[in-house]
Amino acid sequence: MSKSIKVFSPATVSNVTCGFDVLGFALEKPGDIIVARENASKGAHINQIIGSQNIPIDPLENVATVAANALLKHLGSGAGIEFTLYKNIKPGSGIGSSASSATAAVFATNQLLGTPIKNSFDLLPFAMAGEQIASGAFHADNVAPALLGGFVIVRSNDPLDVIQLGTPPDLYAVVIHPDLQIKTAESRKLLPKQVPLKDVVTQTGNLAGLVAGVLQHDYNLIGRSMKDVIVEPARETTIPGFKELKKAALNAGALGAGISGSGPSVFALCKGATSAQKVLDSMKSAYQNTHIQFDIYLSAINKRGTIEILD
Ligand code: HSE
């Protein structure tokens, strides 16, 4: 029988307010699952996609196969691999849908080949190659936390330099996904080309505070630092009800809240599961007034990243 492997890769929240393109964290749920099997035809192919109709199966257009084929090419491998992709994260949701599929595919391919790449960090460029075809930009702020778990700083995309920050133990996220699609490539076009120096100073101070808060497990500092004076003002109007959602989260006790990635998902960070449940209830009732369908998740911060699932 041909070898197979099943892999889970989590959804991620990138930017985390003030860390545009350089900070992200992983969620416990949702996440994409890939079953990868050896087969006779060379390269990576999609056998079936379950859970989404709108994803290309052409190996040159699918983020999972592009990522896996980049790895196979790097290894000089003539292996054939077919993927069954269980798409649990909706494309265009702002919680790293393409990053999850690309990361799962690269991780599964490496495992199936007997882990020729020993260090997980070294899988990142291949996952980024997949992610790039979906977002139109080469950034690791979703794939790095999806692969490694916890909070991750991307100090540089090229050359790639990522730093794992871990997570404070009592930190929880609430993420609401309004049933709308925002394409990252389109959303990036809304961003300012130039930024006043005073905003850069404010943003840098907040990002430094947020990183220190995560490292020192200082929840109050995390909350004080979660302010975005550059990207959120340019994007918030693309998300109906954003201001109301943010207000509902903060009024219910969230440490901070903002746009997840390029949206439309909106996230809040909370200290403790009880507080997170209150924040979830408040965001939910705020959004029920909009008549837009939504999914809402309460999740601990995922510490493990992408993992093999044993049935
Ligand atoms: N940092 C990227 C952006 C993430 O905000 O455009 C998109 O997934």
Side-chain angles (χ1 to χ4, degrees), residues 1-255:
M1 224 174 74
S2 60
K3 258 201 300 188
S4 78
I5 181 168
K6 192 173 186 180
V7 165
F8 169 86
S9 184
T12 45
V13 171
S14 60
N15 301 342
V16 202
T17 66
C18 49
F20 176 69
D21 272 2
V22 301
L23 180 63
F25 67 83
L27 298 165
E28 284 288 347
K29 62 181 178 189
D32 287 352
I33 292 173
I34 270 186
V35 177
R37 272 188 204 83
E38 282 181 332
N39 80 4
S41 57
K42 195 173 166 215
H45 304 269
I46 298 284
N47 172 41
Q48 199 184 0
I49 299 174
I50 296 159
S52 181
Q53 317 285 322
N54 306 321
I55 295 177
I57 58 162
D58 181 339
L60 297 176
E61 289 178 33
N62 182 285
V63 298
T65 45
V66 169
N69 282 322
L71 175 60
L72 290 172
K73 186 173 171 205
H74 168 81
L75 296 171
S77 167
I81 298 179
E82 67 172 30
F83 294 135
T84 302
L85 172 58
Y86 294 84
K87 198 70 204 136
N88 300 322
I89 311 173
K90 289 188 186 144
S93 55
I95 48 172
S97 173
S98 50
S100 170
S101 296
T103 306
V106 165
F107 187 92
T109 301
N110 189 47
Q111 294 292 111
L112 211 54
L113 298 180
T115 55
I117 305 267
K118 302 288 176 228
N119 186 337
S120 290
F121 278 79
D122 297 331
L123 292 174
L124 278 173
F126 310 108
M128 285 170 78
E131 157 87 340
Q132 189 183 14
I133 62 158
S135 75
F138 199 62
H139 53 85
D141 54 341
N142 288 107
V143 289
L147 183 65
L148 304 169
F151 281 77
V152 180
I153 275 281
V154 183
R155 194 204 58 80
S156 159
N157 280 305
D158 188 16
L160 192 59
D161 188 359
V162 303
I163 303 121
Q164 284 184 277
L165 304 180
T167 183
D170 237 1
L171 199 61
Y172 287 77
V174 176
V175 179
I176 182 164
H177 170 220
D179 191 12
L180 310 162
Q181 259 206 34
I182 292 184
K183 289 201 161 66
T184 297
E186 292 303 313
S187 174
R188 292 178 83 85
K189 289 183 192 157
L190 301 175
L191 301 178
K193 300 270 177 295
Q194 292 185 327
V195 177
L197 185 59
K198 76 170 182 18
D199 289 349
V200 175
V201 172
T202 304
Q203 197 89 344
T204 312
N206 281 327
L207 180 57
L210 181 52
V211 170
V214 169
L215 289 174
Q216 296 173 0
H217 301 182
D218 183 336
Y219 298 89
N220 204 297
L221 176 57
I222 291 172
R224 292 202 304 282
S225 306
M226 286 178 66
K227 294 185 182 74
D228 173 4
V229 296
I230 297 175
V231 175
E232 184 178 295
R235 283 178 167 169
E236 63 182 3
T237 51
T238 62
I239 304 168
F242 172 75
K243 275 191 176 16
E244 290 76 7
L245 273 176
K246 186 170 169 179
K247 201 167 144 200
L250 295 176
N251 285 347
L255 301 169

